[in-house]
Amino acid sequence: MPNDPIPTPSIEDLEDDPMSTEDNSIFRRRELLRPQHVPQKDRIVGRDGEIETVETLLKPAAFGDPPESGFLFGKTGTGKSLVAKHVTGRARGVAQIQNVDLVAAYVDCDQYNTETRAARKMAFEVRDAIDPEYYIPQEGVGASRYYDTLWNADGLLNEADSLVVILDEIDKLEMDAAEILSKLSRSEEAGKTGCYISVVAISNKTDYTDAPDERVASSFQDDPIVFPPYDANQLEAILERRSDAFVDGVLETGVLPLAAALAARDHGDARRALDILRTAGKLAERDSSESVTEERVRAADEYSDINRSVQVIRNGTPHSRYALFALSYLTKSKLTDSFSTGEVYDVYRVVADVTAGESLSHQRVLDLLKKWTLPEITESRHTGGGKAEGSYRVHRLLHDPDIVMSSCLEDDELQTVLDTLSKHQLS
Ligand SMILES: Nc1ncnc2c1ncn2[C@@H]1O[C@H](COP(=O)(O)OP(=O)(O)O)[C@@H](O)[C@H]1O
Ligand SMILES: [Mg+2]
């Protein structure tokens, strides 16, 4: 290709190119530490009960019988996505042996965050499993068109025995979640196809385990399956069972317990633990070192996203931190996670009065709140409809509210503020 703008050197030229030597003094199987990696059963720690419960839901589908649906709840990094994918994958494997047609679809609602996007993703996943040639429009049509491709007279699911849909991070769908769930359950009830449907819905939003969204919760017969955070020992065991990602002997003693302890600080988050370990390995690689030391683990921890955000927050001006605290407080105590400026302002006034003895105007607080969107601590947008229909700005926190709250205030302020707020019953 004479016009190729990217020239490939000849084999001879590559001989002395340092890039031709694979860099494997630190990592042996780097992919084991990627967050998307779904480990085998013998690498999964402390989730036997949760796995069994999900198995009970899905197992019938592997034998051509109707499966159940389930709702998985828990903070980030507690193994929800992992358990859902792991069990679904095994059920599909058993079904294959049984000659049963079990189709699985995985939809990450954080990425596909409207009903149409999620329905399209579901349709494409099913198409890829059943008939990659089947035509589905990419754009310009609504959610119902995508449901049709599944359940129409000549739809994709006509020949299938069951469909297992994993709707991950379903809390990101906000209002659309109830819509998609009722569509799925109605299609099955209406017997549009002979295909059974199981929905495994997953939510990171733990604060409403006591009062789950009525419409969403009513789609599920059984209680939600709650994933508790890990303790430091479990995190260490998780890291231990992935340590063959590294070349033998490069992990110094003390590295795994330290990474586990650091990840257990906020809430026992396995993603964070693996992230710290992977970054520590990369730092060692960058320094052309042959060992992952405790020092590099600490450096990796500082490096991680969460820590960067904490630094950004600590550097904020006092009233901008009080406003952010107010939003985090609401996020932690309410069912929803987007709040109007007015709602935030009410809580802000209490916080500012307690800590600074004065509060700023509504408009000033709105300006301060908007400043947190740039470093991606929050997100802010207008609600649907035009101004005439009462459109207004809402704010959403993008990080763990506990971490943000403790970064916004000094330790001694924090308790006083929380006590005062609980008296005000603003939550
Ligand atoms: N019990 C566990 N044993 C082994 N690895 C785990 C366990 N729980 C979580 N992980 C790993 O931690 C990371 C985050 O887990 P994930 O299932 O994505 O959490 P969640 O969906 O609850 O946020 C993944 O890489 C996953 O493989
Ligand atoms: Mg997840």
Side-chain angles (χ1 to χ4, degrees), residues 252-297:
E252 290 196 349
T253 1
V255 157
L256 297 187
L258 177 61
L262 291 170
R265 248 175 340 187
D266 304 312
H267 72 266
D269 179 339
R271 180 178 296 104
R272 180 105 196 266
L274 287 162
D275 188 43
I276 292 174
L277 191 61
R278 190 183 59 245
T279 308
K282 285 201 295 199
L283 291 176
E285 207 166 47
R286 188 197 61 188
D287 301 342
S288 310
S289 161
E290 310 258 291
S291 55
V292 180
T293 58
E294 289 189 29
E295 200 188 341
R296 291 203 170 90
V297 171

Side-chain angles (χ1 to χ4, degrees), residues 52-365:
E52 243 173 67
T53 312
V54 180
E55 274 172 10
T56 314
L57 301 173
L58 302 187
K59 188 172 175 181
F63 294 89
D65 295 325
E68 303 282 340
S69 292
F71 207 165
L72 278 45
F73 267 106
K75 294 194 172 180
T76 53
T78 53
K80 303 179 299 297
S81 303
L82 162 62
V83 167
K85 289 177 186 168
H86 168 80
V87 178
T88 306
R90 279 172 49 226
R92 189 172 54 189
V94 175
Q96 267 157 18
I97 297 170
Q98 299 294 326
N99 248 320
V100 166
D101 209 349
L102 187 163
V103 182
Y106 176 82
V107 180
D108 179 0
C109 304
D110 186 31
Q111 199 180 349
Y112 304 97
N113 58 0
T114 64
E115 191 196 355
T116 305
R117 287 180 199 145
R120 175 172 53 212
K121 178 64 181 165
M122 182 166 67
F124 276 103
E125 288 268 292
V126 172
R127 181 199 65 173
D128 292 346
I130 294 183
D131 176 8
E133 305 283 304
Y134 190 96
Y135 174 72
I136 302 178
Q138 270 285 356
E139 52 194 3
V141 298
S144 58
R145 175 73 173 80
Y146 293 117
Y147 298 126
D148 286 347
T149 61
L150 303 180
W151 291 295
N152 255 356
D154 57 350
L156 280 162
L157 287 173
N158 267 314
E159 304 287 313
D161 295 308
S162 60
L163 167 68
V164 177
V165 191
I166 301 174
L167 293 175
D168 205 348
E169 309 218 6
I170 193 170
D171 46 309
K172 301 286 161 51
L173 278 180
E174 301 200 351
M175 294 311 153
D176 294 355
E179 215 53 56
I180 198 164
L181 288 172
S182 77
K183 240 14 144 312
L184 286 166
S185 63
R186 261 188 280 143
S187 309
E188 189 184 21
E189 281 160 24
K192 284 196 171 179
T193 66
C195 176
Y196 301 122
I197 298 168
S198 159
V199 180
V200 179
I202 305 178
S203 170
N204 282 331
K205 191 119 176 131
T206 48
D207 10 347
Y208 59 81
T209 38
D210 296 333
D213 182 314
E214 267 311 304
R215 290 153 312 145
V216 174
S218 64
S219 308
F220 302 92
Q221 282 176 342
D222 294 320
D223 289 338
I225 304 160
V226 179
F227 284 60
Y230 298 109
D231 62 29
N233 290 329
Q234 289 173 312
L235 292 176
E236 191 181 334
I238 290 173
L239 297 179
E240 192 69 57
R241 293 189 200 182
R242 306 276 181 109
S243 55
D244 53 331
F246 291 90
V247 173
D248 277 343
V250 304
L251 293 177
E252 290 196 349
T253 1
V255 157
L256 297 187
L258 177 61
L262 291 170
R265 248 175 340 187
D266 304 312
H267 72 266
D269 179 339
R271 180 178 296 104
R272 180 105 196 266
L274 287 162
D275 188 43
I276 292 174
L277 191 61
R278 190 183 59 245
T279 308
K282 285 201 295 199
L283 291 176
E285 207 166 47
R286 188 197 61 188
D287 301 342
S288 310
S289 161
E290 310 258 291
S291 55
V292 180
T293 58
E294 289 189 29
E295 200 188 341
R296 291 203 170 90
V297 171
R298 290 190 194 283
D301 176 52
E302 311 254 296
Y303 209 82
S304 86
D305 273 343
I306 299 170
N307 258 279
R308 243 178 291 149
S309 312
V310 167
Q311 276 316 319
V312 171
I313 295 168
R314 293 231 167 97
N315 290 335
T317 61
H319 284 274
S320 71
R321 284 186 283 109
Y322 304 153
L324 182 61
F325 180 92
L327 175 61
S328 316
Y329 182 79
L330 288 167
T331 310
K332 192 171 162 61
S333 39
K334 299 276 189 175
L335 304 183
T336 49
D337 59 5
S338 292
F339 300 93
S340 69
T341 314
E343 287 172 293
V344 177
Y345 188 65
D346 287 345
V347 178
Y348 156 83
R349 278 217 332 239
V350 177
V351 179
D353 276 334
V354 174
T355 46
E358 57 171 4
S359 50
L360 305 176
S361 72
H362 186 282
Q363 182 58 43
R364 280 282 290 136
V365 170

